[in-house]
């Protein structure tokens, strides 16, 4: 069987790997999975991962401590032979200053699963919107016999986080077949899912409690929404990274179809959207210059949180 990624890696001596801004589990899992796969099977390739700050619990993965937070080119430095962009559907979403590297690299590859991906960001674009995660897309491009335990751990974490521990609708038969293969590699799957998905720090617990206490229902109880201000962020001593999983707790409110959560990032408000069965939140996110998936998407806004939520509710109402 021919794997496009193996062909892409031929005649490559230096390679850089990037993910999206504010990396989540799938982003970190897929980038580090590729990193470990290359370490294991392509010893001639000098590989570097670039990732913005991510939850400390992900340090359970091999290579997490080797990731650099920012790509910095210097005058006279040779461009990378290749650059791979993981789990990222647009150049606006590239993290760690990776756009400059992608533009200078001799060849590039985009591995993704976002429905909003135009499939033309790189020389080689491997985009499967029907896949549960970028980690699943990556798995299909790797030789299963060459996947080590440490690579399998990364892939498993990525799949766990983008499927909501296998409870989201993007979990399919193929997803579970892949998970079975990864478990057969001897990974401690219980530890990975517990320590990175089902646990949170004390500060995260406090701010999540605040969000749940102050959330509101709208559209006859079919939407739950909440936001956190910069002042509250300071009060709870949390960063945007600490708030990345709050939306998934908010969506657990029974009887709701859509969960909406806003929090400040770089002078704007980050919009996180989740739906269960009916609403296409990707279409709503596009109204804010964002995107993602049918049931999970996000964007940014300069509006106040109250104004943004009102606009979002109007868009949701049209679909309901």
């Amino acid at each position: 069987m021919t794997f496009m990624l193996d062909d892409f890696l031929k005649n490559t001596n230096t390679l850089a790997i990037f993910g999206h801004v504010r990396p989540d589990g799938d982003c970190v899992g897929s980038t580090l999975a590729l990193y470990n796969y290359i370490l294991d099977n392509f010893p001639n390739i000098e590989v570097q991962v670039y990732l913005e700050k991510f939850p400390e619990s992900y340090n359970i993965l091999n290579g997490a401590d080797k990731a650099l937070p920012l790509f910095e080119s210097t005058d006279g430095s040779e461009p990378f032979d290749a650059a791979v962009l993981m789990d990222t559907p647009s150049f606006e979403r590239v993290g760690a200053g990776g756009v400059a590297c992608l533009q200078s690299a001799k060849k590039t590859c985009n591995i993704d699963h976002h429905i909003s991906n135009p499939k033309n960001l790189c020389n080689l674009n491997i985009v499967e919107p029907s896949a549960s995660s970028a980690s699943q897309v990556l798995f299909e491009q790797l030789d299963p016999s060459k996947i080590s335990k440490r690579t399998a751990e990364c892939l498993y974490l990525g799949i766990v986080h983008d499927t909501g521990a296998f409870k989201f609708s993007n979990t399919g038969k193929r997803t579970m077949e892949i998970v079975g293969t990864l478990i057969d590699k001897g990974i401690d799957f219980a530890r990975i899912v517990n320590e990175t998905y089902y646990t949170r720090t004390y500060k995260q617990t406090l701010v999540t409690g605040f969000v749940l206490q102050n959330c509101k229902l709208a559209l006859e109880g079919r939407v739950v929404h909440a936001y956190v201000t910069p002042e509250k962020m300071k009060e709870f001593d949390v960063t945007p990274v600490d708030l990345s999983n709050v939306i998934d707790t908010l969506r657990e409110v029974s009887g709701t179809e859509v969960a909406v959560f806003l929090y400040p990032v770089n002078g704007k408000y980050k919009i996180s959207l989740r739906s269960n069965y009916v609403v296409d939140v990707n279409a709503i996110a596009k109204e804010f210059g964002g995107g993602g998936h049918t049931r999970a998407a996000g964007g940014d806004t300069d509006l106040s949180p109250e104004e943004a939520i009102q606009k979002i509710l109007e868009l949701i109402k049209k679909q309901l």
Side-chain angles (χ1 to χ4, degrees), residues 288 304-316:
F288 294 89
S304 70
E306 295 88 352
E307 291 174 315
I309 289 172
Q310 186 56 45
K311 182 177 179 180
I312 293 167
L313 290 176
E314 291 170 359
L315 293 168
I316 293 173

Side-chain angles (χ1 to χ4, degrees), residues 4-300:
M4 286 189 287
L5 194 58
D6 281 357
D7 288 338
F8 176 80
L9 293 173
K10 289 180 180 177
N11 303 316
T12 297
N13 294 314
T14 58
L15 183 142
I17 306 173
F18 294 89
H20 58 69
V21 294
R22 298 184 294 276
D24 57 9
D26 186 30
C27 179
V28 176
S30 59
T31 53
L32 290 179
L34 179 57
Y35 171 79
N36 282 292
Y37 185 80
I38 291 173
L39 287 184
D40 293 335
N41 301 291
F42 297 87
N44 60 300
I45 297 178
E46 183 181 334
V47 57
Q48 178 61 57
V49 176
Y50 294 91
L51 285 170
E52 294 180 3
K53 185 178 179 181
F54 51 81
E56 291 184 8
S57 61
Y58 297 173
N59 287 327
I60 193 174
L61 301 179
N62 183 70
D65 60 332
K66 302 292 193 259
L68 298 179
L70 182 65
F71 168 75
E72 296 180 291
S73 60
T74 57
D75 293 338
S77 62
E78 284 290 320
F80 279 90
D81 290 336
V84 180
L85 180 59
M86 301 295 307
D87 194 32
T88 308
S90 69
F91 285 126
E92 290 75 20
R93 293 276 295 160
V94 177
V99 173
C101 181
L102 289 161
Q103 291 175 335
S104 64
K106 298 174 183 177
K107 57 183 177 180
T108 57
C109 174
N110 181 210
I111 299 176
D112 188 33
H113 70 127
H114 290 87
I115 194 171
S116 57
N117 193 306
K119 303 181 181 180
N120 62 3
L121 300 181
C122 294
N123 303 132
L124 175 62
N125 298 280
I126 307 173
V127 182
E128 296 294 341
S130 61
S132 69
S133 54
S135 295
Q136 179 172 333
V137 179
L138 175 61
F139 175 90
E140 300 288 17
Q141 295 304 318
L142 305 181
D143 184 339
S145 67
K146 296 179 180 179
I147 294 177
S148 65
K149 178 182 176 182
R150 62 187 187 180
T151 299
E153 289 170 338
C154 298
L155 292 168
Y156 182 80
L157 185 147
I159 293 173
V160 162
H161 280 256
D162 250 29
T163 60
F166 314 114
K167 68 176 182 287
F168 296 165
S169 60
N170 60 351
T171 307
K173 177 182 177 181
R174 181 56 181 159
T175 308
M176 301 312 290
E177 290 173 344
I178 292 171
V179 166
T181 299
L182 300 177
I183 290 175
D184 283 346
K185 297 291 182 177
I187 66 174
D188 190 344
F189 59 89
R191 181 187 177 202
I192 293 171
V193 71
N194 182 57
E195 292 190 12
T196 71
Y197 189 82
Y198 286 116
T199 60
R200 57 174 65 92
T201 65
Y202 182 63
K203 289 191 296 185
Q204 287 175 316
T205 300
L206 292 179
V207 73
T208 301
F210 170 80
V211 170
L212 296 178
Q213 262 194 322
N214 291 275
C215 66
K216 296 180 180 179
L217 294 175
L219 301 183
E220 298 180 339
R222 300 191 69 182
V223 178
V224 59
H225 59 85
Y227 65 86
V228 173
T229 63
E231 292 74 23
K232 284 296 178 182
M233 294 269 287
K234 185 175 182 180
E235 179 182 332
F236 286 103
D237 188 27
V238 291
T239 67
V241 172
D242 296 314
L243 299 177
S244 58
N245 292 327
V246 171
I247 184 66
D248 292 316
T249 302
L250 196 61
R251 77 183 297 175
E252 295 174 0
V253 177
S254 64
T256 58
E257 163 62 19
V258 184
V260 181
F261 180 54
L262 280 70
Y263 56 98
V265 177
N266 297 329
K268 295 186 176 183
Y269 272 92
K270 159 72 175 175
I271 302 170
S272 290
L273 302 166
R274 300 290 186 271
S275 67
N276 289 319
Y277 308 109
V278 179
V279 175
D280 179 358
V281 292
N282 177 60
I284 295 172
K286 285 183 178 180
E287 296 291 328
F288 294 89
H293 310 287
T294 304
R295 302 286 172 251
D300 299 286

